[in-house]
Amino acid sequence: FIGLFLLVLPAAGKVICGAHHAQNCAACPMGNGQSWCNGECRWNSKSGSCEPKSGGITGGSEEADLYELLEVDDAASDAEIKKSYRKLSVKYHPDKNSGEPAKFNDIRDAYEVLSNPSKRVLYDTGGWQAVRDGDRGNLERGEDLQRELVVSLSELYTGAQHVLRIQRRVICRRCRRRWDAAKCKGCSSCPSTTQMVQEFRGNMIFQHMQQVPSSEDCRTDALTLNITIDRGAFPGDRITFEHKAAQMPGQVPGDVIVTLKVREDHTPWHRVGIDLRYPLEISLRESLLGFRRVIKHLDGHTVKVSTDSVSRPGQVIKVTGEGMPAKDAPSQAGVLYFIVAVKYPNSFTETERRELEAVSAFHSASIEDSDGLRRKGSQAEL
């Protein structure tokens, strides 16, 4: 038996509970207890009821906000949090301020959470309860967000910086408890969750899925990620930004994972591991008399290659230290291999043929080649 439950919101009322409306604080909204008592109302822990605010902050029933304890903004950097902690820990140290030992402990505990990236994201998405659940391993993990970044071989050779912009869902921290028109702009209820519930009917037990409204507000946020591509990185390498995927109450946010892919462009350079290959086309004359070349590398510097000897098609010229930089040791590099390709003329004129036949070196080379072939043939037969 599968039941379908529809959530019917009350009509706009007289009080605002975060982004919601109710006739009064007792029904803020639908009388669901402390987690729904916010905005213009506050929770009275003694009477166990939701009451109108008499002014000021929500009250002592709330756990102290860690950012307020450290006197920093929600978006404070790690350096700003550390600086404020050092200042406050000196100010409220028991040796200097014996009247507020609890304050010093609170500051220390706040820094322990906010200085830890994993704990900080849990606190931002679910408060102290999420931090405690995370320590116990009781939190589900959200889905990772996969992205692909197309780069050139040159960028893998030199290293590069890229910017990736994504849209993700984030939890509006504290907006359910302290509605602020500026900070909570664009916030609305987070997606509902589905859970299995049991219902007893006489001696029978029925299970059905029920939509559970979220106790937090969410909004869509633009996130900018700065991607650093190391020198010598490989296609398929993954760059991970921990806990930067979409947020959902009661879950550890997943990661944003960026996978590198090399752009398929018309470049003569070909990578094999940490080595590079480059096709070197030379003329028939150069193959016989030698050649000089200056090749522009992937980062713009030049590599000189030359020979006065005869060069054969497919011959390999090896230049050590001019390959790809080693990813884990950028001061080391692989080998650059020049692969010789001889461009032969399509035909010769009669005059050119007579001139070539007059070159005595060609006759001796032909004899040597034919002798070599006969020797190889004899050896093969043996």
Side-chain angles (χ1 to χ4, degrees), residues 116-127 129-145 168-169 171 241-256:
N116 183 311
S118 297
K119 289 187 176 182
R120 181 178 179 181
V121 73
L122 289 179
Y123 180 77
D124 288 346
T125 55
Q129 187 60 48
V131 175
R132 287 190 285 265
D133 289 342
D135 289 340
R136 300 188 193 105
N138 294 335
L139 284 179
E140 295 181 3
R141 178 182 172 84
E143 294 184 359
D144 293 332
L145 179 64
R168 61 169 185 163
R169 180 180 61 246
I171 296 174
F241 297 88
E242 292 186 347
H243 307 313
K244 295 298 185 182
Q247 298 177 0
M248 186 72 177
Q251 290 185 351
V252 179
D255 302 333
V256 175

Side-chain angles (χ1 to χ4, degrees), residues 25-276:
C25 289
C28 189
M30 300 183 299
N32 278 317
Q34 181 177 1
S35 61
W36 292 85
C37 185
N38 48 71
E40 296 179 359
C41 306
R42 67 177 179 183
W43 183 256
N44 188 323
S45 57
K46 293 183 179 180
S47 63
S49 61
C50 190
E51 301 174 348
K53 285 184 181 179
S54 57
I57 306 177
T58 303
S61 61
E62 278 192 22
E63 291 179 317
D65 185 85
L66 303 189
Y67 290 95
E68 291 179 359
L69 280 172
L70 292 181
E71 299 180 3
V72 294
D73 186 74
D74 291 8
S77 65
D78 293 340
E80 291 171 333
I81 290 173
K82 187 174 185 179
K83 180 180 179 181
S84 183
Y85 166 69
R86 285 179 172 176
K87 180 186 71 174
L88 293 173
S89 61
V90 171
K91 179 179 178 180
Y92 290 101
H93 195 280
D95 292 343
K96 293 187 176 182
N97 194 331
S98 58
E100 295 188 76
K103 179 77 170 179
F104 175 80
N105 293 334
D106 289 344
I107 292 171
R108 180 195 58 200
D109 293 343
Y111 180 71
E112 182 181 345
V113 171
L114 298 186
S115 63
N116 183 311
S118 297
K119 289 187 176 182
R120 181 178 179 181
V121 73
L122 289 179
Y123 180 77
D124 288 346
T125 55
W128 266 112
Q129 187 60 48
V131 175
R132 287 190 285 265
D133 289 342
D135 289 340
R136 300 188 193 105
N138 294 335
L139 284 179
E140 295 181 3
R141 178 182 172 84
E143 294 184 359
D144 293 332
L145 179 64
Q146 304 282 348
R147 286 291 183 269
E148 190 174 75
L149 179 63
V150 180
V151 298
S152 66
L153 181 60
S154 298
E155 289 177 305
L156 297 182
Y157 182 86
T158 61
Q161 296 287 333
H162 279 264
V163 173
L164 176 66
R165 295 180 175 87
I166 62 173
Q167 299 287 322
R168 61 169 185 163
R169 180 180 61 246
V170 297
I171 296 174
C172 301
R173 202 176 76 82
R174 297 187 298 174
C175 283
R176 276 291 177 92
R177 297 188 298 278
R178 302 183 188 176
W179 179 259
D180 182 282
K183 287 186 177 181
C184 301
K185 183 179 180 181
C187 296
S188 60
S189 183
C190 296
S192 300
T193 56
T194 303
Q195 68 179 23
M196 181 73 72
V197 297
Q198 293 182 342
E199 182 178 344
F200 294 89
R201 295 183 183 177
N203 296 327
M204 303 288 290
I205 300 177
F206 296 88
Q207 291 184 335
H208 58 85
M209 304 301 294
Q210 179 175 343
Q211 293 290 322
V212 181
S214 176
S215 60
E216 297 288 350
D217 288 339
C218 292
R219 70 170 181 270
T220 300
D221 187 40
L223 177 65
T224 299
L225 299 174
N226 296 311
I227 302 174
T228 299
I229 301 174
D230 296 328
R231 296 186 65 220
F234 286 90
D237 281 358
R238 305 201 306 174
I239 302 170
T240 301
F241 297 88
E242 292 186 347
H243 307 313
K244 295 298 185 182
Q247 298 177 0
M248 186 72 177
Q251 290 185 351
V252 179
D255 302 333
V256 175
I257 301 174
V258 181
T259 303
L260 299 183
K261 181 180 179 180
V262 176
R263 183 183 300 112
E264 297 293 338
D265 49 15
H266 301 288
T267 175
W269 297 90
H270 179 64
R271 179 180 187 175
V272 181
I274 63 169
D275 298 330
L276 288 171

Side-chain angles (χ1 to χ4, degrees), residues 365-379:
S366 299
I367 294 172
E368 289 176 2
D369 286 347
S370 61
D371 288 344
L373 288 173
R374 283 196 295 271
R375 285 195 297 271
K376 288 180 182 179
S378 299
Q379 291 173 357

